Amino acid sequence: MMGAYPDAAPEPEKTREATEREAAWDPHLRSTHDVTNHRIQATDGEIGHVEDFLIDDKTWAIRYLIINTRNWWPERRS
């Protein structure tokens, strides 16, 4: 019986380079879900919170953070 990925090569044993990359892994890395609603602090106090992200759909890089500053910069209505 063939597996789900018949052309996939078996995983090689970990090399020293792979182990060094894992050691360089940033334990502070979080998902966008985990970071949403985190407060943004400036030198003079809190200015808002992370509301959303603009992500490049080709590279999956986060290009911009959407910061809600409603409590710091009141929304004006006319």
Side-chain angles (χ1 to χ4, degrees):
M1 178 176 176
M2 297 185 89
Y5 302 102
D7 294 332
E11 281 190 43
E13 290 185 34
K14 285 189 178 180
T15 63
R16 179 181 175 135
E17 183 180 319
T19 305
E20 288 173 358
R21 274 192 308 241
E22 289 174 2
W25 175 74
D26 183 359
H28 297 100
L29 185 63
R30 301 286 184 260
S31 72
T32 56
H33 179 73
D34 290 343
V35 176
T36 300
N37 292 322
H38 274 230
R39 294 180 179 146
I40 304 297
Q41 196 76 18
T43 56
D44 58 346
E46 185 179 329
I47 63 167
H49 65 273
V50 178
E51 188 163 278
D52 207 352
F53 302 84
L54 289 180
I55 299 174
D56 185 317
D57 61 354
K58 290 185 173 131
T59 65
W60 288 92
I62 296 174
R63 296 296 179 194
Y64 299 97
L65 298 177
I66 308 298
I67 306 298
N68 183 330
T69 59
R70 192 172 302 134
N71 295 337
W72 180 71
W73 188 279
E75 185 177 41
R76 294 181 186 209
R77 295 181 187 252
S78 46

